[in-house]
Every structure is written in C-alpha cells, then in structure tokens.
Amino acid sequence: MNTLFKHYWGSLLFTAVCFIAAAIYAWSGSGSVSGVAQVLWIVLVLSILEISLSFDNAVVNATVLREMDEKWQRRFLTWGILIAVFGMRIIFPLAIVAIAAKLDPLSAINLSLNDPQRYEEIVSGAHVGIAGFGGAFLTMVGLSFFFDGDKDVDWIRGLELWLRRFSEIQTAEIGILLVILYTVSTMLSDGDALVFMTAGVLGLVTYIAVDAIGTVLDKVERRKMAEGAVRSGLGGFLYLEVLDASFSFDGVIGAFALSNNMIIIAIGLSIGALFVRSMTVHLVRAGTLTKYRFLEHGAFWAIIALGLIMLLSAQFHIPETITGLIGAVLIGISLLWSMRYNRRHGAEEETA
C-alpha cells in the first residue's frame, strides 16, 4: 500500500484539486447540486476513458523510460506532463479550431467558451486528418517493434517469428502502412481521401524523423559513455512526447461524446493523463516489464490495434469503449501468459 501511495500520491492530489475546481466551475454555472454532480460524473468518466485508452501507452512508455537516466525520467514527469496536459488536452483542440475556422488564438478560446456546439463541430470535422496522422504514427510504432530482427522473445510465436523474418527487408513496415492507408482512402470521398493520405504520410514522416533524431542522439551519447543506453536522453524524451500526443488524439475526439465544454474536457483528460504518467513510473520502478516477459508484447499488439482502429475511424464510427476493451484484453492476456510462463519455468528451475 505504501509503495502504491508513493507512486500515485501526486496523481491523487491532482485529482482532488481538479474535482474541487470542477465543482466550483459547475456551481458558478448552474448554481445547483445536481449540476455539480453531473459535471463531476463527466469528469470521472473522462478520466477513466483516458486511462483505459492509454494503459498500453503506459507500458510502452515504460519500455523506453527504463533505459533513460534518472534525470530524463524526472523531466518526462515534469516537462512531459505539462506538454501532455496543456499542450495536447488544451492547446491542441484550440489549434485545430483556429486553423480550421481561420481564427486567431483568442477567438478560438472565445468560441470554445461561448459557443461550445460550434467548437465541437469544428474539432469533430477535423477527425479524418487526425485519424490519418495518429493512426499512421501508432501503427508504425507497433510494427517496428515486431519487425525488429534483434527481438529474441516471442509471445504469439508463429506470427511474431514470421514478422521478424521480414526484418531483413528494409522499410517493409512502411510498405505495409502505405498499403493500409491507400486501402482506407479508397473508402472515402475524394476530398477526405486527400486529407487522409496527406495526414497519414505526415504521421509516417514524423515517426521516421523522431526515430532518426533519437538514433543520432543515441550515437552521440554512446561516444561519451562506455555503455550507451538505447533511446536515452533527449531522443527518448521526444519519442515519448510524440507517442503520447498520438494516443491523446483518440481521447480528445471521444471526449465530445460526453461534453462539448472545453474546461470540463481538459480537467477530465488531464486527470487521466497524470495517472498514465504515474503508471509508467510504477512499471519502471517495480521492474514489472522484467518480471512479466510478454507484457510489452501485449502492449505493442494493442498499439497496432489502436492504430488500425484510428485509421478505420476515418470512415466507420467505432465506440471508444471497444477501443479501450481491445487494448485491455490484449494486455490482460499477455499478463496472464507471462504469469503462466513464470510458474512453469519457476517450477522447472526448482526441479533442476
């Protein structure tokens, strides 16, 4: 219990402050207990939605964060949470509205506060581009893990071994993504197809650029150290921030199903974002990924599933509940499989 409190006390304190702020905001607007209760319920559901959609993000973050030094881990928790909360949950939707409606930032803020219905319509109208960019980036993250020739642990053995054989073919995962992007674009109208393909290619280029920056920075660090750490320092930090941004797209768009009030959405999603950060640190500090060897495999399969769902959402409406459940089920099965592996091999070691 003390260990859990150590990792989550900041998130719990932040949650309490956010609920108090939401209650004050709701009371100032409605002046009734029922109005306050309704807003607090929406904030709670939004925070749970964000956590359920981003649990696989926490696992993948932990795989990168565990190889970064303590200084950059702290920066991920401080600078990173500011970017995650204020950048993606507040500034990002406002930027979409400003660009789509050709408004200045102050006018976009005014629209979000005084005409939330129009604000929601503009953000939702940009969904095709968001789906293309975020889906492409996340799909590349997942595919790159399984197309890694140095990976020596397989969970879904036949499929993962087959994918790893293609690692010798350079840019195979890029070819797969482009085929998927083209296939989905054929389902869209001409205008939406162009937006979707453009956004998808930009998502792919962003992944390549971030990966390249990380590789260059890693080489610089390896020259300074006897043993270099993969994706440590600034390169790993940039990778994590872009990854978190891609995960947040789905939550921001899905939040409008519950509320079109920017302040309520920002409060609810921010609580979830901070808990995801706390879960990431907990996984690193507890060595969970080392103890459960297939857990990160489940997370990367969940990322591929989320990426494909995002791409398909440009044409089909897929409830966020299904998206969250798929990720949770894949991670849950990989955790159970890891526990089964530990029991079997633990027994073998005792017998030996």
Side-chain angles (χ1 to χ4, degrees):
M1 183 64 70
N2 289 336
T3 303
L4 286 175
F5 184 75
K6 175 184 176 182
H7 292 298
Y8 293 96
W9 72 268
S11 297
L12 293 171
L13 179 61
F14 181 76
T15 300
V17 171
C18 285
F19 268 85
I20 292 171
I24 294 172
Y25 175 75
W27 181 263
S28 66
S30 65
S32 66
V33 175
S34 61
V36 172
Q38 182 181 12
V39 167
L40 293 181
W41 172 251
I42 292 173
V43 169
L44 176 63
V45 174
L46 284 172
S47 62
I48 294 173
L49 171 68
E50 179 71 8
I51 293 170
S52 65
L53 289 174
S54 301
F55 182 73
D56 42 359
N57 186 17
V59 178
V60 175
N61 283 351
T63 64
V64 179
L65 198 65
R66 65 181 174 177
E67 296 171 342
M68 294 166 63
D69 59 39
E70 191 172 338
K71 177 182 70 175
W72 280 100
Q73 289 181 3
R74 288 196 301 270
R75 288 176 178 175
F76 173 71
L77 293 174
T78 52
W79 302 352
I81 194 60
L82 289 174
I83 296 172
V85 172
F86 294 102
M88 292 310 303
R89 275 73 182 181
I90 298 176
I91 296 176
F92 168 67
L94 290 172
I96 291 176
V97 171
I99 294 171
K102 298 180 181 179
L103 299 173
D104 60 86
L106 291 178
S107 298
I109 293 173
N110 180 64
L111 183 68
S112 68
L113 295 175
N114 299 315
D115 192 357
Q117 193 69 36
R118 176 59 179 157
Y119 174 79
E120 177 187 349
E121 290 174 0
I122 294 174
V123 174
S124 299
H127 179 68
V128 171
I130 295 171
F133 182 93
F137 186 89
L138 290 177
T139 303
M140 278 300 299
V141 169
L143 289 176
S144 296
F145 176 79
F146 294 107
F147 277 80
D148 183 1
D150 296 327
K151 186 169 78 72
D152 55 1
V153 175
D154 296 315
W155 174 36
I156 307 175
R157 184 168 179 75
L159 179 57
E160 292 185 19
L161 186 60
W162 180 74
L163 289 174
R164 198 162 72 245
R165 287 174 181 167
F166 284 92
S167 63
E168 298 178 1
I169 304 175
Q170 292 185 349
T171 67
E173 61 268 38
I174 295 177
I176 292 174
L177 174 63
L178 290 175
V179 170
I180 295 172
L181 287 172
Y182 174 75
T183 302
V184 175
S185 71
T186 60
M187 306 176 190
L188 306 174
S189 64
D190 291 344
D192 284 347
L194 178 61
V195 171
F196 179 80
M197 284 297 297
T198 302
V201 170
L202 286 175
L204 171 61
V205 171
T206 300
Y207 174 84
I208 294 172
V210 172
D211 188 65
I213 291 171
T215 300
V216 171
L217 293 175
D218 288 341
K219 287 182 178 179
V220 172
E221 289 187 8
R222 279 197 292 269
R223 292 194 190 103
K224 299 178 181 178
M225 301 167 58
E227 295 182 0
V230 178
R231 287 197 184 283
S232 59
L234 180 60
F237 180 83
L238 292 174
Y239 177 80
L240 288 174
E241 289 309 311
V242 177
L243 182 63
D244 179 76
S246 298
F247 269 97
S248 70
F249 292 156
D250 208 38
V252 170
I253 298 299
F256 285 105
L258 297 170
S259 174
N260 56 15
N261 187 299
M262 182 197 74
I263 294 176
I264 295 174
I265 290 175
I267 291 174
L269 296 183
S270 297
I271 292 172
L274 195 60
F275 266 100
V276 170
R277 282 294 197 280
S278 297
M279 283 191 291
T280 299
V281 176
H282 188 190
L283 290 170
V284 173
R285 299 283 189 263
T288 304
L289 298 179
T290 304
K291 296 175 185 176
Y292 303 104
R293 63 188 276 129
F294 302 126
L295 187 60
E296 62 181 322
H297 293 67
F300 278 102
W301 278 119
I303 284 179
I304 291 177
L306 177 59
L308 293 176
I309 287 172
M310 264 188 110
L311 293 174
L312 290 172
S313 70
Q315 174 63 22
F316 307 103
H317 173 68
I318 303 172
E320 286 72 25
T321 305
I322 294 177
T323 305
L325 280 175
I326 290 175
V329 167
L330 286 169
I331 292 174
I333 294 174
S334 67
L335 177 61
L336 292 174
W337 214 263
S338 300
M339 295 168 66
R340 175 174 172 265
Y341 176 90
N342 291 343
R343 285 196 302 270
R344 282 189 173 185
H345 287 262
E348 290 174 4
E349 290 176 3
E350 288 178 7
T351 302

